[in-house]
Amino acid sequence: MTRASTDPAVTPAAPRWGLGDAIAGWTIAQVAAQLFGALILAAAGYTVQEAADGDLPLSVTALFYPPLWIGFVGVPVWAAATKGRGWIEDFRVRLKAVDVPLGVVCGLAAQWVLVPLVSLPVLWLSGKDFDELAEPARELGDKATTPGGVVLLIVLVVIGAPIAEELFFRGLLLRALEKRFDTTVAVIVSSVVFGITHFQALQFPALTAAGVVFALLVVRTDRLGPAIVAHMAFNAATVSVLVWGGS
């Protein structure tokens, strides 16, 4: 006679990771970025002021991404492996065929429609313009002066960053907040933290709004795939304009 599926002996245990792991992941990402960033600058022969002024070549700038991913990727994977059922299952890292067009449409709409709408009142109140809004992205795009640089920019910004950030913000952080609060709070707070984490005051409202779009995709589909694709499309729209559309 087989056991009933409700038998506690065969019922998978609920994941034990939570908000503390998300806070630890965010903190580790920032500390690692600062520590390894200082070592990278020293080894490459650049000063902190040169880094702040955007005078680093893309090859050096690229080295600042992996330290962040120690927290954004390493902690969710570790937390799910030691306290859950694995990161694929716990964070719904799944992708269906329909997620590709869905994500592309949502990502492009967020970049080309939502960002301007959200940014307009911010620019009006601050006395800034769209050129200043795009300045951080333009500074990064201007570093891709060779075909190899363009490929590196795409790998970092269009592929690497969306995967790492979605795994953390819409994977670990969103799900941890859902366990403590309700879905609405989880969507809002995870999106605000996503916006804050970029440390760009002028871009904060637009990034937070984009985070809401990505979070809603995860909530509505119960899959991380649509949000990853949307985030890739969102970043790709900017990169394509900067690299091939002129400034």
Side-chain angles (χ1 to χ4, degrees):
M1 182 176 181
T2 59
R3 286 177 173 172
S5 59
T6 55
D7 189 332
V10 296
T11 300
R16 293 179 292 106
W17 46 259
L19 200 51
D21 297 289
I23 293 172
W26 191 92
T27 303
I28 288 171
Q30 305 311 315
V31 171
Q34 293 298 319
L35 291 178
F36 283 98
L39 293 175
I40 290 166
L41 290 178
Y46 290 93
T47 66
V48 174
Q49 187 58 50
E50 286 175 315
D53 293 339
D55 295 333
L56 303 181
L58 184 59
S59 58
V60 175
T61 302
L63 298 176
F64 285 79
Y65 283 74
L68 280 170
W69 297 344
I70 294 173
F72 289 162
V73 176
V75 171
V77 170
W78 170 83
T82 58
K83 304 178 182 181
R85 297 161 295 191
W87 62 282
I88 299 291
E89 180 66 25
D90 284 359
F91 307 130
R92 284 77 156 177
V93 186
R94 306 182 184 95
L95 181 70
K96 293 185 177 181
V98 69
D99 295 340
V100 175
L102 174 63
V104 169
V105 169
C106 290
L108 295 181
Q111 182 64 262
W112 290 337
V113 179
L114 185 61
V115 166
L117 286 176
V118 172
S119 300
L120 272 174
V122 177
L123 297 177
W124 180 74
L125 289 171
S126 62
K128 305 292 185 179
D129 56 31
F130 277 103
D131 284 340
E132 290 169 289
L133 182 71
E135 186 175 352
R138 185 169 56 249
E139 287 180 353
L140 186 59
D142 287 345
K143 299 177 187 293
T145 57
T146 65
V150 172
V151 171
L152 180 58
L153 185 66
I154 291 172
V155 169
L156 291 174
V157 176
V158 181
I159 300 174
I163 293 174
E165 292 176 3
E166 290 309 310
L167 181 60
F168 180 79
F169 291 102
R170 261 65 66 174
L172 176 60
L173 180 58
L174 176 68
R175 299 303 183 182
L177 286 165
E178 276 189 313
K179 290 170 69 174
R180 182 70 65 89
F181 307 102
D182 61 24
T183 299
T184 300
V185 171
V187 168
I188 294 172
V189 173
S190 65
S191 300
V192 169
V193 175
F194 173 70
I196 289 174
T197 300
H198 288 79
F199 299 105
Q200 297 172 354
L202 194 61
Q203 293 77 18
F204 166 72
L207 290 169
T208 299
V212 171
V213 172
F214 304 152
L216 289 176
L217 282 171
V218 172
V219 170
R220 293 298 298 271
T221 65
D222 199 36
R223 297 188 300 277
L224 201 61
I228 292 175
V229 174
H231 198 154
M232 287 180 172
F234 182 87
N235 287 7
T238 298
V239 169
S240 62
V241 171
L242 294 175
V243 174
W244 294 290
S247 58

